[in-house]
Amino acid sequence: MTLDVAYLRGSIAAINSVLQHSSCPQSIYFHFLASKAISYLNSTISTTFPFLPFLIHPFDPSLVSDLISTSIRAALDRPLNYARSYLPRLLPSCISRVVYLDSDLILVDDIASLAATPIPPASVLAAPEYCNANFTSYFTPTFWSNPSLSIVFEGRNACYFNTGVMVMDLDRWREGGYTEKIEEWMELQKRMRIYELGSLPPFLLVFAGRIAAVDHRWNQHGLGGDNFRGLCRDLHPGPASLLHWSGKGKPWARLDAGRPCPLDALWATYDLLEPLVSIDDS
């Protein structure tokens, strides 16, 4: 997971939910990426979870800041949003497989089941796919009208997937140089506008149609509404093992404002932090 002050309350709730529903919580080791206020983050995690095995890895924003293009929502442009692309570089080489989680979610099932997802040799990561989504909308007309670009998806059966929940084979990632492949698309985006939505499209360009599918129960996403208004949304039909408040509306912000959505009450049962009034995020 990534850690920062603005989303720390969400991260704490996510960690709490993982531990609460794990059949063997002592077997879980948390790796966090953070770029600011590391001493504060470290002390908050240690105080909240005194026996939690974890390590915070510093993430240098300059790794990616020159590659970021503005997107439809400022929160999507934070360098830390792109840190997941650098996990294979930042984590020790002895770590070959991880589950990556966003900070705006909770688990209601054992993470061991997700971590055990088979990843066939031809794939590098596993995630729930959503092939009923309008895949073309994630890229601009400039992209689709240029055959030398759109050909990248030829024969791939590319579907949308949400990068907030992924099982990643770091060894295969390192061997395939996938961080560099993502950076190449980001460099192109700086020269010609081929997408609008932050860190997601480069992942789709590199991995869509090439990932191992995970049951949709492991990412009931979109509970934060869209990227503009953040309106309330219901769960998708079917079972749920993980609830994800992707979108503009975050449960802690809506609860503090006195305007919660119905599902925010479920998130609140894992909330361990008081609202933050003012903290120096430096």
Side-chain angles (χ1 to χ4, degrees), residues 196-218:
E196 303 287 355
L197 197 62
S199 63
L200 170 65
F203 262 82
L204 297 179
L205 286 159
V206 174
F207 294 113
R210 295 171 173 165
I211 70 172
V214 176
D215 192 286
H216 288 181
R217 67 188 301 155
W218 286 106

Side-chain angles (χ1 to χ4, degrees), residues 244-265:
H244 187 186
W245 278 259
S246 57
K248 184 178 181 180
K250 302 307 176 188
W252 56 90
R254 297 194 293 214
L255 287 161
D256 291 348
R259 297 190 298 271
C261 294
L263 287 171
D264 296 346

Side-chain angles (χ1 to χ4, degrees), residues 105-161:
L105 54 77
I106 57 169
L107 277 78
V108 293
D109 205 342
D110 194 337
I111 196 171
S113 299
L114 176 61
T117 301
I119 302 180
S123 297
V124 176
L125 58 85
E129 290 183 298
Y130 303 91
C131 293
N132 59 341
N134 181 9
F135 189 79
T136 59
S137 67
Y138 291 96
F139 302 95
T140 63
T142 298
F143 173 85
W144 292 114
S145 64
N146 189 327
S148 66
L149 298 178
S150 59
I151 196 174
V152 71
F153 290 121
E154 186 174 342
R156 279 173 54 178
N157 191 27
C159 296
Y160 160 74
F161 67 93

Side-chain angles (χ1 to χ4, degrees), residues 100-102 105 114 126-128 162-167 218-219 242 244:
Y100 174 83
L101 299 175
D102 271 353
L105 54 77
L114 176 61
N162 182 282
T163 55
V165 179
M166 299 184 290
V167 184
W218 286 106
N219 196 350
L242 184 152
H244 187 186

Side-chain angles (χ1 to χ4, degrees), residues 260-277:
C261 294
L263 287 171
D264 296 346
L266 180 57
W267 179 90
T269 63
Y270 299 95
D271 182 20
L272 298 178
L273 289 187
E274 293 295 323
L276 300 178
V277 178

